[in-house]
Amino acid sequence: MAYWLFKSEPSSWSWEQQKAAGEKGTEWTGVRNYLARNNMRAMKIGERGFFYHSNEGLEIVGIVEVCLLSHPDSTAKGDDRWDCVDIRAVRDMPKPVTLKDVKANEKLSKMALVTSMRLSVQPVTDDEWLEVCRMGGLDNPRL
C-alpha cells in the first residue's frame, strides 16, 4: 500500500469540510501540476494519505482514504489533461503535526513535504508515514 499527502488551504477547503463530505468523500479537484496529477493516477482504492493545511496552519490535521480512482477533474472544463481522485476523511490526527516539527525531525529530512514543498499531492514513504503518525499520537497508524 502506498501513502500520500494532500495539501489544501483551509480557506479554500478545510479538514472540517472534508469530514463534512462524509463517507462518499469528494473530488480532489484543481490540481494543475503534472507530477501531482501523475501521483493521483497511481493511487489505488483504500490507500491512505495525510490531509495538510497549507499556507494557514501549516500542519497535518487528518487522515484520508482514496475512495474513487483517478478520473477527469470536473473543474478542468473539458481539458482532459487533468484528473483527480476522490478522497474521504478517515480520522483526525490526535495531535496536529506542524511543518516546523516535520522539518526538525531528522527521520523526515527527505520527506517531500520538506524537499518539494510546493507539490500539492505527494508520495509518503512507509517510514515517513509511521513517524508522522507517531508524532501525531496515533497508536495504530495502519488503521
Side-chain angles (χ1 to χ4, degrees):
M1 175 184 291
Y3 297 104
W4 307 95
L5 182 138
F6 297 84
K7 288 184 174 183
S8 182
E9 294 181 26
S11 61
S12 297
W13 187 256
S14 71
W15 175 239
E16 292 305 316
Q17 289 171 295
Q18 184 65 50
K19 291 191 302 184
E23 186 69 20
K24 182 178 179 254
T26 187
E27 287 185 319
W28 196 256
T29 60
V31 174
R32 300 297 182 264
N33 172 285
Y34 288 106
L35 182 54
R37 179 212 56 196
N38 292 345
N39 286 337
M40 289 191 289
R41 286 181 174 178
M43 292 177 185
K44 295 179 175 62
I45 298 291
E47 290 182 337
R48 299 288 171 96
F50 293 124
F51 191 101
Y52 177 81
H53 276 164
S54 63
N55 293 338
E56 307 159 40
L58 301 176
E59 59 190 1
I60 295 167
V61 294
I63 293 179
V64 295
E65 177 180 72
V66 176
C67 58
L68 187 64
L69 294 176
S70 179
H71 58 87
D73 182 332
S74 66
T75 67
K77 301 184 193 246
D79 186 342
D80 62 358
R81 292 177 296 167
W82 306 115
D83 290 355
C84 66
V85 294
D86 286 23
I87 60 172
R88 65 175 153 239
V90 174
R91 66 180 303 167
D92 293 318
M93 187 64 74
K95 175 187 168 213
V97 178
T98 67
L99 177 60
K100 182 179 176 182
D101 290 339
V102 168
K103 286 182 172 183
N105 187 326
E106 181 60 33
K107 292 179 181 178
L108 301 175
S109 65
K110 294 181 182 172
M111 188 173 183
L113 185 60
V114 174
T115 63
S116 303
M117 290 180 57
R118 296 187 50 81
L119 189 60
S120 62
V121 180
Q122 309 173 349
V124 174
T125 69
D126 290 353
D127 289 341
E128 292 165 349
W129 179 264
L130 293 172
E131 183 63 13
V132 170
C133 286
R134 183 197 63 75
M135 293 168 68
L138 287 177
D139 294 333
N140 190 347
R142 300 287 188 198
L143 295 179

